[in-house]
Structure formats: C-alpha cells, structure tokens
C-alpha cells in the first residue's frame, strides 16, 4: 500500500522534529451492502475506501490526521501540521530501523467476498426472507441487509514496526415486522463472523429469518412490560450486552487513565459478586470481534478482566499505556482510517457458572426474563447504563408466563455487577456494533444465563 | 485527475457499459477537532477527504457504488461494480435521474471563518473552556472532554441529463462534558453550542452551562413509577423527535415500516404543534439549495397545526406515490435538513408554573436502542427534576420514560417560547405534555 522508503522517511522526519512517537496507518477496504425489502433487492451498493492516518505523541498529548492523498508531498504536509499543533521542537537525529513483522493469521478465510458473485449473496438473502415470511401469517414485512467487507491494513510506527493484515467480515441482518390488528412490532437478528461466505455453510440463513420473525410474532401479541424495580433473568448470548455496557466500557483505558471511570484505581479489588468472571478475547478464531493484530499493530490476546469478582486488568491502548504504566494488551481499535485508535472491546463475555438456565428461572418468584436484548449505552464516569429488551417475558412463581414488550433496563455498572447472584452454564455469544470515540467496530458480547437481583425495568405503569 | 475529466470518463464508460443514465456526486470534507483533557491535547483530528458516489440507471432500475480516489482505476471500479449490482437488483419500483426542473435558490457557499482561526487559538479555546468549568465550582471533579471542532463539506452533483450543481455547507461546535461530585454520587453535565462562525459560539457560556447542569443533578434520586405530567426540555424534545424522523420518510411508509401509513392529511399531533423543514433556515448553520439527488430544496411545514401535510420523498418514492420529490435526500435517507418548531406562548419558567406537579426531563440515554420506529414506541433512560407547586424541588435520576411518539405529540398541552438551535439542524422549544409513563424505584 505504501512504500517502506516513504514510511521510513516520514517517521524519521517526525522524530527528528521532536515527536515521541509517530504512527502511520493505511487502509484499503472493499465492501458490499445490499438491502432486500419484501423479497426483492431494493439497493445494492459497492464501496472502496482508501485512506491514510498519521498519529503523533508528545509527552501526554496525541494528535491525528487523515487524508485520501497518498503522495509523499501531501503526507509530509499533514505530518508537519501535526508537529506544529503540538508546538514541539528539539527533536533527535536518529535513524529508525524498520522491521517487517509477519502476522500469523488465525482466522482462515475460504471464500473471499469478492470471489463470490452477488447473485450467490442475494440467494442467501432470499433464503432468510423465506425463513421470516413463512414463520407466521402475522409477518407483514421483512427487511434483510447483507454486508461484507475485506479490509487490508498497513501499520508502521517509530518503534520500528511494519505490519500488514487483512480482515474479512460477513454479516446478515434481518428485521421482521409483525402486524396484528393495528399494532406493529419488529424483531431483529443479525449474526456475523470474521469469515467469508463460508459463514453461511455453518449457519442456515433461513434460521436467521425465523429467529427475527419469531421475536416479532411473539412481541406483537405481548402486553407492555411492568415498570419498576425487580429481579431480572437475562438470557445467554447477546444478553452479554449488559456486561459490555455496564462494565466493559468503564474498563477501557480511555476513561480509566483519566480517572474518569468508576473502576479507576481498583485493580486487585473486589468489584463484582464472587460468581462473576469475565474476559475480553480478541483471538477467538473467526469471531466477529477478533483480529490477528489490533489497529496499532499489537497482537490481540485473551485478557482476563474480572476473576471471581476481583478486577484483574483494564483494556489498554498505546497512548494510555504510558499514563497507566501497563503494557498495551491488543485492544487499540478504530472503525477505519478516519479515526485515531483507542482502547476498545473485541469479544467480551462472562464465563460460565454452575446453574442450568431452568434452575435460575425456577428460583425466581417474580421478575422479568429478558430473552433477547437490543442495544445499550453507558456513561463510564457515572456508570449509568441502559439497554433495550427486544423480547421479554414475565416470571411468576418460578415459571415463564406471558410475553411483555417495550422494556428498557437501567442501572449503574458498579452496582449491577455486584447484584449478579446466579450464573448459568450455557455460555454463548452474539454480534453487534460497538460505538465509541474511535467509531463503530464489530464486537461480540456474550454470557451464560444470569440473574440480577434488582434492576429498574422501564415499562408502563398500570 | 481533474473532476471534470473524471466525470466525463465515468459517463462515457457507463454509456458504453450499457447504463441509460447516470449521476455522480462528489463530497469533499474538511474536518477539524481538538479534545482537551487536563490541559493536554487528548485527541486531535485534522482531516481532508473525498468521496465519489455513482448512481447508474438502466431500464429505470438504479445501482450504486462509491470510492475515495479519483483515478483511472476508480472509473472502472465505479461503473463495473454498479453494473454488477444492477444485475442483482430486482425491485419493481422505478428510479430516475433528476432532470433539473423546478426552482433552485441561489447555491449556498459557506464562508469558513473557522478555518481562518489559527489552530493555536482553537486549542486555547478548548483549554480555556476546561479551565473555566473547573474554576466554576469546587465540586466540578473532572472535565472528561472539552472540545472545539468544525467541519465543512463541498458537494457537487452531475448527471447525464445535464445537471451541474455545486455548493458548500459547514458549521462549528464547542462542547463540554464533565463530572461533578459531592463525594457520594458523580453526576454528569453536558453542553454543546453550534454556529456558522466563531463569534456565534461563546465557549465560556458552554463551560458554565455544562457545570451548572452537572451541579444541579447532585443528590439526584429515582422517583416512584407512575404517570407524570412532564416538560420535555427543548434539547430533549428535539432528540426524541429526531429519533423518530424515519417515520416521516415516504420510503418507510410505502414499505409498511412507519406508523404514519395512511395518516397523510390527518391529525397526528396537538393542533398547537407546527413543525417545518426549512433547508435555508436563517439561524441554522447548514443551508442547502439542492439535495443529494440534485432536487431543489424548499421550505415546508410537515406537521401543520397538528396535521401531517407531507412525507419526505426521494425521486423513487415520489414516482411511486405520483407526487413531486421534496428535495429531502441527504445521506441516502429521506430526511428533513433543518427542523424548526414554531414558537409557542409560554416562557420556560411559565411552563414550569403550569406544570404544577410533575417532572422535567433534561437528558435521555439509549435512544438508539429504546426507540421502535416501526410502532412509534419508545422506552428510554432519563434524567431531570421533580416539580411541585410550580417549582423545582429536587433532581431526578435512574428513571425511564416510555410511550408512543404519536400519543406524546397529541398530548402536547403547551409549547415554550424558549426556541434555540439545540443541534446543528434543530431549532426547538420545550413542551409540556399531559402525562408520560415513568418507571423508577418501587412499583
């Protein structure tokens, strides 16, 4: 993508002018997006993104710039604007020896997206459409979105690193709408993987449609969720969004290094209930949030965040590592070259416990069973989080009774992880997009079924 | 390669490939932003980028592609990949390329005074905002972000029907996000101000208002679940309204994805509510005389005294409904550009008096997930104050509000006179609504 000679010259120029650290990130990404509505492809679009980002550190400060112009002259101009912004002088004359570091690929791809025809891809969408449409006669509309991309990245920095990697991702998203009388509700299911089209050999698109339709069909028949504080049992897989929002974001160096997280300064302390252990693992082969190296060139790893309630580590990127005195642990991520990387989650999940999911329900006298979760968000400084329940049920006398809709769960991260009192043995993961300072990145969330003794359920009052 | 030459090459190659008509849109963006934390530059972005979008039409079917480099390879990529997309597109609906008819206002050219401001000054503004916020009160524990930013985009639309349009738009913003603490529970404060030139933005005021907001939340508690009379402050009203903007898109309505289906020309809101899409609104920084399809924009109420008077149309949706396109295609969606709510009769203070007993909602969280545009339902996390005897009694946290947007619009009892530019494209007042479902502590 870039000649080593130019990269070396630019990095040396930055250091000579006084930067502590210079990084160059280049990206070439091809993508396909298609939308099918009512069984017909309405929009098909192809894109090619091509850009370069430059980042400079000096003391405790960082600056970033990007451009689509790869000429040496433009890059030098951009670099000098960054140096000027930092008002740095007195560089050192040193010659950096750039070493090409080969990246071991742990995420094998069998069918690259661009090697598969678009008509094959629309067959996948059609099958998902059938799955949803055939589910029930209440399904009034089905919107299918298909998305794939092939991203090639190049990273070089003043530590002498030159690295290249290629990331392929494929995702199918189904939104089904159910209509009953004058009421409408929708159901969503959107699995994805760091795989090529072979993803759909492991996963039948028909079942993706069925799952979205099942939620819509169930919810259009549901009453509104009750309002108020109650025990909540959260199902496995995408249910892990609760840990992601309530806890994960507050463990990112971005807020911890500033002392702006409720978990800052708590390494080695007990922050969660004994039954909670959680990891962030960017190495899982072909998982949606996995990478060989992060967007700063650091190999990804499995980070044990919490062990039996004790805080073991934070997620640390390069910029914040110096402030915190902790080595970067492979979580520097960005949406694309238009963002400077920062500490982000990859595949984050609570580890399995000892209970059968049925035991957890049976042990609950009254509460909400959140079977399918929507998205959520959090303010790391105050720990206030919220997330939507896409499919909920009432639990009465240890049994799941009627479906309820429109529930939002709110609480504070530091409180909720102490209120988890039962953890199931049925760990699995779900896929989502995680938004933060450095844009929107693919991330897995996960957990076994868990119970929280008390949460505010935002439903309707009687 | 010059844009003119690139355009000619794409058009001629597209014709050769078999497209009947086509359109190219160039968007050149300039972005600058500096984030200060503890008087250090915590993040800084200095960017220029270009995006080219191609739309090709054959037998009234459209296909799309985009790229970020203007060269020979891109000519081929844009046309070839769009042609491949065309082959799989099997919609029954006809799309078109705009013929340039209708009345265009003068193209808008943004005078970018932010760019002229030296970088050093912009960094200093962000640093000063942080200092002012910290100095405001000793309970301000930390400024998470103090930001000064601006952006500009130049957009050009060309098509084979001879359309050749260009204009630019841009804005600047300053915002402060901070935390206040009384040693018990930390509370957040956020304030943002937008403008079309640096003098529109008073950074000190941003810092003070963010500080005041956080301090006023100290000691907040949840309140019991129930139905409450409520004021939605202007920024909250605008956020909630914008979250439901997709329901006004004709495409959503036609596809059965909007609760406004069949409601054109009927009453959907309180008759005191009039909402206007005004692409050339004087007080809004972003002004546009044409949309991304090259259709001229125009000022139009879409809720007129409670009555839904139009949906937002693209060329495609307009053709299907047999109406004229409305000039509302921005970022691929049919959406208004500047939304202006007509001013009401009561000041914010008078609204509180009229509220008598209830809640004021001053912030929402979780709109991206707690809003269902298909049904109009919402359930989102909220912050605010509790009011009794027409006066604020205490701050409120850890509650949700829920309901249906159309029901909420029907229940508007009073509209404030406190209209302000609460985002780059929203000029909104506060509203008083009869009741809203609140979930909180207890049941």
């Amino acid at each position: 993508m870039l000649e080593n000679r130019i990269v070396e010259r630019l990095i040396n120029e930055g250091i000579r002018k006084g930067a502590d650290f210079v990084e160059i990130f280049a990206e070439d990404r091809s993508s396909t997006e298609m939308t099918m509505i009512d069984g017909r492809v309405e929009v098909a679009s192809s894109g090619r993104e091509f850009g370069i980002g430059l980042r400079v550190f000096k003391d405790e400060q960082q600056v970033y710039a990007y451009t689509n112009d790869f000429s040496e002259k433009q890059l030098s101009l951009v670099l000098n604007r960054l140096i000027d912004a930092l008002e740095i002088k007195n560089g050192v004359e040193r010659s950096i020896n750039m070493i090409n570091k080969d990246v071991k690929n742990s995420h094998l791809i069998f069918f690259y997206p661009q090697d598969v025809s678009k008509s094959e891809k629309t067959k996948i969408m059609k099958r998902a459409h059938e799955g949803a449409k055939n589910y029930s006669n209440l399904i009034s509309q089905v919107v299918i979105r298909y998305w794939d991309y092939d991203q090639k990245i190049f990273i070089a920095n003043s530590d002498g690193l030159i690295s290249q990697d290629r990331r392929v991702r494929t995702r199918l998203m189904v939104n089904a709408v159910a209509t009953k009388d004058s009421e409408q509700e929708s159901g969503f299911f959107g699995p994805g993987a760091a795989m090529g089209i072979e993803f759909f050999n492991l996963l039948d698109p028909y079942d993706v449609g069925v799952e979205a339709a099942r939620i819509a069909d169930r919810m259009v028949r549901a009453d509104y969720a009750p309002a108020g504080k109650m025990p909540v049992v959260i199902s496995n897989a995408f249910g892990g969004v609760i840990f992601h929002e309530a806890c994960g974001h507050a463990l990112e160096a971005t807020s911890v290094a500033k002392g702006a997280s409720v978990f800052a300064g708590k390494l080695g302390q007990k922050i969660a209930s004994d039954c909670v252990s959680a990891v962030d693992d960017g190495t899982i082969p072909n998982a949606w949030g996995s990478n060989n190296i992060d967007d700063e060139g650091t190999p990804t790893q499995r980070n044990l965040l919490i062990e039996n309630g004790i805080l073991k580590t934070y997620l640390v990127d390069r910029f914040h590592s110096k402030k915190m005195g902790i080595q970067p642990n492979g979580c520097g991520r960005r949406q694309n070259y238009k963002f400077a990387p920062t500490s982000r989650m990859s595949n984050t999940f609570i580890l399995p416990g000892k209970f059968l999911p049925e035991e957890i329900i049976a042990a609950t006298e009254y509460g909400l069973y959140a079977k399918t979760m929507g998205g959520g968000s959090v303010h790391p400084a105050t720990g206030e989080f919220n997330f939507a329940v896409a499919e909920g049920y009432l639990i009465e006398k240890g049994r799941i009774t009627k479906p309820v809709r429109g529930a939002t769960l709110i609480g504070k991260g530091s409180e909720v992880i102490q209120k988890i009192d039962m953890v199931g043995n049925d760990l699995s993961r779900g896929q989502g997009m995680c938004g933060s300072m450095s844009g929107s990145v693919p991330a897995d969330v996960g957990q076994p079924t868990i119970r929280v003794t008390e949460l505010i359920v935002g439903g309707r009052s009687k | 390669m010059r844009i003119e030459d690139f355009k000619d090459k794409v058009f001629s190659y597209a014709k050769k490939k078999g497209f009947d008509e086509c359109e190219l849109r160039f968007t050149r963006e300039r972005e600058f932003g500096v984030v200060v934390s503890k008087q250090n530059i915590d993040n800084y972005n200095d960017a220029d980028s270009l995006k080219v979008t191609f739309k090709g039409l054959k037998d009234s079917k459209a296909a799309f592609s985009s790229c970020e480099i203007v060269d020979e390879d891109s000519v081929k990529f844009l046309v070839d990949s769009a042609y491949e997309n065309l082959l799989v597109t099997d919609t029954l609906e006809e799309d078109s390329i705009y013929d340039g008819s209708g009345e265009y206002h003068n193209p808008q050219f943004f005078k970018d005074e932010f760019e002229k401001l030296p970088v050093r000054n912009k960094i200093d503004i962000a640093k000063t905002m942080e200092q002012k916020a910290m100095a405001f009160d000793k309970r301000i524990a930390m400024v998470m972000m103090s930001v000064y930013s601006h952006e500009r985009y130049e957009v050009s639309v060309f098509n084979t029907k001879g359309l050749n349009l260009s204009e630019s738009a841009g804005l600047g913003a300053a915002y402060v996000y901070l935390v206040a603490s009384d040693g018990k529970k930390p509370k957040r404060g956020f304030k943002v101000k937008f403008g079309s030139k640096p003098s529109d933005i008073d950074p000190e005021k941003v810092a003070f208002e963010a500080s005041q907001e956080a301090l006023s939340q100290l000691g907040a508690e949840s309140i019991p679940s129930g139905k409450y009379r409520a004021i939605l402050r202007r920024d909250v009203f605008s956020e909630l309204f914008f979250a439901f903007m997709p329901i006004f898109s004709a495409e959503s309505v036609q596809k059965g994805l909007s609760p406004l289906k069949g409601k054109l020309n009927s009453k959907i809101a309180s008759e005191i509510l009039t909402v206007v899409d005004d692409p050339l609104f004087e007080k809004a920084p972003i002004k546009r005389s044409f949309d991304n399809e090259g259709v001229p924009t125009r000022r139009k109420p879409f809720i007129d005294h409670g009555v839904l008077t139009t949906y937002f149309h693209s060329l495609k949706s307009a053709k299907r409904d047999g109406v004229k396109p409305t000039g509302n295609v921005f970022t691929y969606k049919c959406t208004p550009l500047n939304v202006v709510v007509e001013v009401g009769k009561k000041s914010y203070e008078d609204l509180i008096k009229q509220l008598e007993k209830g809640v004021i909602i001053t912030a929402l969280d979780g709109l991206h997930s707690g809003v269902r545009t298909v049904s109009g339902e919402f359930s989102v996390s909220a912050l605010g104050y509790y009011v009794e005897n027409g006066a604020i009694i205490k701050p409120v946290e850890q509650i949700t509000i829920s309901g249906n947007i159309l029901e909420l619009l029907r229940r508007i009892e009073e509209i404030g006179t406190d209209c302000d530019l609460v985002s780059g494209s929203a000029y909104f007042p506060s509203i008083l609504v009869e009741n809203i479902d609140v979930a909180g502590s207890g049941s």
Side-chain angles (χ1 to χ4, degrees):
Chain A
M1 241 177 285
L2 274 171
E3 283 178 52
N4 283 9
R5 177 188 60 83
I6 297 177
V7 167
E8 246 182 83
R9 207 193 56 68
L10 279 169
I11 287 175
N12 277 302
E13 184 181 346
I15 297 296
R16 194 174 63 243
K17 289 188 166 159
D20 290 344
F21 176 82
V22 180
E23 174 196 77
I24 296 174
F25 176 88
E27 172 178 11
D28 178 358
R29 181 196 307 236
S30 307
S31 59
T32 297
E33 276 184 78
M34 292 191 280
T35 306
M36 175 180 279
I37 304 180
D38 217 4
R40 293 185 174 274
V41 177
E42 288 287 325
V43 183
S45 170
S46 305
R48 178 116 187 252
E49 288 174 36
F50 212 64
I52 183 162
L54 282 103
R55 187 160 66 135
V56 174
F57 297 171
K58 178 68 183 176
D59 301 325
E60 305 252 297
Q61 312 202 87
Q62 76 166 332
V63 290
Y64 189 73
Y66 66 81
T67 175
N68 304 121
D69 185 342
F70 276 53
S71 71
E72 188 171 0
K73 192 178 143 207
Q74 168 71 6
L75 295 176
S76 182
L77 196 82
V78 170
L79 176 71
N80 280 298
R81 287 215 305 255
L82 292 179
I83 301 280
D84 288 348
L86 286 169
E87 290 186 297
I88 46 180
K89 303 171 198 80
N90 308 326
V92 284
E93 197 63 55
R94 79 181 151 108
S95 183
I96 290 157
N97 214 358
M98 308 295 291
I99 296 161
N100 266 308
K101 204 168 171 186
D102 285 336
V103 173
K104 180 179 170 290
N105 183 22
S106 312
H107 313 286
L108 288 179
I109 303 297
F110 291 92
F111 300 106
Y112 282 90
Q114 46 287 47
D115 297 339
V116 175
S117 74
K118 284 184 181 148
S119 65
E120 284 302 313
K121 295 173 188 175
T122 59
K123 279 183 199 157
I124 293 167
M125 299 168 80
K126 282 225 152 74
R127 190 154 166 76
H129 175 82
E130 279 162 23
K133 200 74 191 174
N134 295 344
Y135 183 80
S136 103
N137 53 13
L138 295 187
I139 302 302
S140 57
Q141 183 58 286
V142 182
V143 180
I144 317 264
R145 280 186 299 147
Y146 170 91
W147 182 41
D148 67 42
Y149 70 71
D150 182 350
Q151 179 201 32
K152 293 170 190 140
I153 61 160
F154 169 98
I155 303 165
N157 67 33
S158 54
D159 292 346
L161 173 85
I162 290 189
S163 219
Q164 301 196 53
D165 198 16
R166 182 171 182 183
R167 290 100 171 246
V168 172
R169 285 198 169 72
T170 304
R171 193 177 188 197
L172 182 67
M173 289 166 279
V174 179
N175 235 311
V177 180
T179 305
K180 186 169 177 286
D181 305 324
S182 61
E183 304 266 333
Q184 282 199 322
E185 271 297 329
S186 56
F188 174 82
F189 187 44
M195 296 175 95
I197 310 301
E198 67 273 13
F199 181 46
F200 300 104
N201 295 337
L202 302 178
L203 171 82
D204 189 340
Y206 192 89
D207 298 339
V208 180
V210 166
E211 177 61 4
R214 188 190 62 75
I215 297 167
D217 176 85
R218 201 61 51 90
M219 285 300 102
V220 80
R221 304 162 190 265
D223 281 341
Y224 291 112
K229 257 187 193 174
M230 63 190 77
V232 179
V233 176
I234 303 169
S235 183
N236 65 354
F238 201 74
V241 71
I242 190 170
F243 183 81
H244 177 101
E245 299 299 350
C247 208
H249 278 294
L251 297 176
E252 293 167 346
T254 323
S255 45
V256 176
K258 285 183 198 158
S261 157
V262 286
F263 298 121
K266 297 207 166 148
L267 271 188
Q269 293 181 29
K270 190 151 185 316
I271 60 162
S273 100
D274 291 340
C275 57
V276 176
S277 296
V279 297
D280 181 82
D281 187 351
T283 69
I284 301 168
N286 300 100
W288 179 239
S290 291
N291 286 313
N292 293 307
I293 52 172
D294 70 3
D295 292 306
E296 302 181 317
T298 310
T300 53
Q301 60 187 65
R302 179 181 169 99
N303 292 309
L304 179 62
L305 302 172
I306 297 172
E307 187 175 35
N308 302 326
I310 310 284
L311 177 59
K312 303 302 271 189
T313 191
Y314 299 114
L315 294 168
V316 185
D317 61 298
R318 262 178 192 276
F319 177 60
H320 295 101
S321 80
K322 208 165 77 176
K323 285 191 197 177
M324 297 171 72
I326 302 176
Q327 282 297 307
N329 46 22
C331 64
R333 301 186 69 191
R334 54 177 124 199
Q335 179 178 330
N336 56 30
Y337 70 90
K338 292 186 176 178
F339 296 87
T342 190
S343 51
R344 302 291 294 271
M345 286 176 270
S346 56
N347 308 300
T348 316
F349 47 94
I350 296 178
L351 295 172
K354 60 183 179 187
F355 294 101
L356 290 168
E358 305 83 65
E359 288 179 278
I360 300 177
I361 303 280
T364 306
E365 177 62 21
Y366 176 83
L368 181 79
Y369 176 53
K371 177 162 168 59
T372 314
M373 304 301 302
S377 65
V378 66
H379 292 274
T382 59
E384 295 160 295
F385 68 79
N386 68 84
F387 50 103
V389 179
E391 182 189 4
Y393 296 84
L394 268 192
I395 304 174
E396 292 169 298
K397 294 182 180 158
R399 283 166 184 268
I400 291 169
T401 54
K402 59 174 191 170
V404 289
R405 64 170 136 166
T408 288
L409 305 181
I410 64 166
K412 293 191 181 174
S414 53
E415 292 169 13
V416 77
I417 50 168
Q418 294 178 36
K419 287 181 181 166
I420 296 174
D421 70 339
M422 294 178 92
V423 177
N425 59 5
D426 56 338
L427 169 67
S428 70
R429 304 190 314 269
Q431 291 76 50
M433 296 301 293
C434 166
S436 187
M437 286 277 284
S438 59
S440 177
V441 298
D444 259 16
V445 296
Q447 66 171 34
T449 300
I450 62 163
R451 182 171 78 171
V452 183
T453 54
E454 191 181 69
L455 268 178
I456 292 177
V457 176
R460 303 256 176 117
S461 326
K462 286 272 154 53
Chain B
M1 197 188 302
R2 284 175 56 232
I3 283 192
E4 277 292 317
D5 298 336
F6 183 77
K7 179 199 81 177
D8 292 344
K9 285 193 170 172
V10 169
F11 285 178
S12 96
Y13 182 49
K15 188 135 220 160
K16 213 162 79 188
K17 187 92 188 179
F19 282 110
D20 302 333
E21 303 280 357
C22 51
E23 169 194 290
L24 267 180
R25 187 172 80 247
F26 294 84
T27 310
R28 197 178 281 284
E29 274 189 49
R30 162 83 184 125
E31 273 182 272
F32 176 89
V34 57
V35 184
V36 161
S37 169
K38 294 188 176 153
Q39 295 297 296
N40 280 325
I41 299 172
D42 192 46
N43 222 317
Y44 175 99
N45 186 22
D46 175 351
D48 293 289
S49 62
L50 173 74
K51 184 165 184 178
V52 186
T53 309
F54 174 81
K55 174 180 176 182
L57 202 72
K58 187 176 163 64
D59 302 330
S60 296
K61 263 194 325 188
F64 302 86
S65 56
S66 67
C67 71
E68 298 184 327
I69 284 186
V70 171
D71 64 8
E72 294 286 348
D73 286 350
S74 294
V75 172
K76 215 168 148 21
F77 170 79
L78 285 177
V79 176
D80 290 346
S81 62
Y83 200 82
E84 199 196 340
N85 291 333
L86 184 80
L87 298 179
V88 297
T89 306
D90 60 353
T91 176
L92 296 175
E93 286 167 37
E94 294 184 359
D95 207 332
S96 53
I97 296 282
Y98 198 55
D99 61 7
S101 62
E103 191 189 337
Y104 289 86
H105 299 275
N106 286 332
Q108 305 290 308
F109 290 100
F110 176 63
K111 284 197 202 81
D112 193 351
E113 291 181 29
F114 292 99
E115 190 63 49
K116 289 184 199 145
L117 204 62
V119 165
R120 186 53 33 203
N121 293 19
K122 293 183 256 199
I123 296 171
D124 285 343
I125 293 171
K127 286 185 174 173
T128 309
M129 283 197 298
E130 187 190 36
Q131 279 171 339
K132 295 282 178 189
M134 290 303 292
F136 185 75
D137 189 293
K138 61 179 191 311
R139 291 169 296 170
I140 301 297
M142 162 178 307
V143 175
M144 309 264 293
M145 278 193 257
S146 176
V147 184
Y148 196 74
S149 68
H150 58 88
E151 61 189 65
R152 178 184 76 231
Y153 65 95
E154 294 156 28
V155 56
S156 305
V157 179
F158 303 97
N159 71 29
T160 47
K161 287 187 169 170
L163 207 65
N164 182 342
L165 301 165
S166 286
E167 65 186 352
S168 63
L171 82 173
Y175 69 88
V176 171
Y177 176 40
L178 49 72
V179 178
S181 177
D182 52 4
K184 295 176 208 134
K185 286 189 282 193
K187 301 306 301 180
R188 64 194 150 94
F190 175 80
K191 214 72 201 179
V192 57
K193 180 81 183 160
F194 297 91
S196 48
K197 55 185 185 302
S199 62
D200 292 344
I201 299 169
D202 179 349
E204 287 193 19
K205 204 172 160 206
V206 174
F208 291 154
E209 288 182 3
S211 307
Q212 276 171 334
E213 183 103 350
L215 292 171
S216 74
Q217 276 289 323
L218 287 174
E221 283 173 3
S222 190
I223 51 173
S225 305
K227 289 189 191 296
Y228 288 79
R229 266 164 77 77
I231 288 171
L232 303 189
R233 200 173 64 184
R234 56 185 184 239
D235 44 347
V236 164
F237 178 34
S238 124
E239 268 189 82
L240 188 63
F241 195 88
F242 268 76
F244 281 102
M245 217 53 99
I247 72 176
F248 294 96
S249 148
E251 292 187 353
S252 309
V253 172
Q254 289 169 356
K255 304 293 181 200
L257 301 170
S258 162
L260 291 180
K261 189 169 190 161
K263 299 224 162 90
L264 194 63
N265 299 320
S266 65
K267 195 160 172 272
I268 61 157
S270 162
E271 61 198 24
I272 60 172
L273 183 72
T274 294
V275 191
V276 181
D277 170 32
D278 190 351
L280 296 161
F281 184 57
E282 196 50 43
K283 293 191 174 87
I286 304 257
K287 298 177 187 68
R288 290 286 301 274
S289 70
F290 61 88
D291 75 354
N292 284 349
E293 295 186 314
V295 177
T297 62
R298 61 186 162 86
R299 182 185 188 279
K300 55 192 169 294
F302 56 103
I303 300 176
D304 192 352
H305 295 92
V307 174
L308 176 69
T309 50
T310 184
Y311 300 122
F312 299 120
H313 280 283
S314 62
L315 287 170
K316 189 169 155 182
S317 72
K319 200 158 189 175
R320 177 169 162 168
D321 276 7
V323 296
K324 283 189 171 171
T326 56
N328 282 103
V329 178
F330 298 102
T331 64
Y332 301 103
K333 290 179 197 136
C334 296
T335 167
L337 188 68
N338 292 316
V339 182
V340 180
V341 175
E342 287 199 353
V343 64
K345 293 201 173 105
K346 296 263 171 85
S347 70
Y348 182 63
E349 290 70 28
D350 286 342
L351 286 182
I352 298 174
K353 285 196 190 101
Q354 189 173 333
L355 175 65
E356 180 58 29
K357 186 178 175 182
V359 289
I360 303 174
I361 306 297
T362 59
L364 297 178
D365 281 315
L367 278 163
H368 67 296
S369 57
V371 154
R372 325 260 302 162
T373 51
V374 162
S375 58
E377 303 284 323
F378 64 90
S379 175
V380 293
S381 180
L383 292 180
Y385 309 107
Y386 181 67
V387 171
E388 256 181 31
N389 300 320
I392 291 173
I393 302 287
K394 62 173 183 186
V396 171
E397 64 157 16
Q398 292 290 294
I399 59 166
T400 70
I401 58 168
S402 55
N404 184 287
I405 187 68
L406 298 178
E407 259 173 57
L408 181 124
L409 294 179
R410 274 195 290 273
R411 287 188 188 149
I412 296 175
E413 199 178 296
E414 202 69 66
I415 293 175
T417 53
D418 58 334
C419 288
D420 199 6
L421 195 66
V422 291
S423 81
S425 57
Y427 190 75
F428 270 60
S430 302
I431 54 166
L432 172 64
V433 293
E434 281 165 27
N435 73 55
I436 201 160
D437 270 291
V438 170
S441 56
S443 53

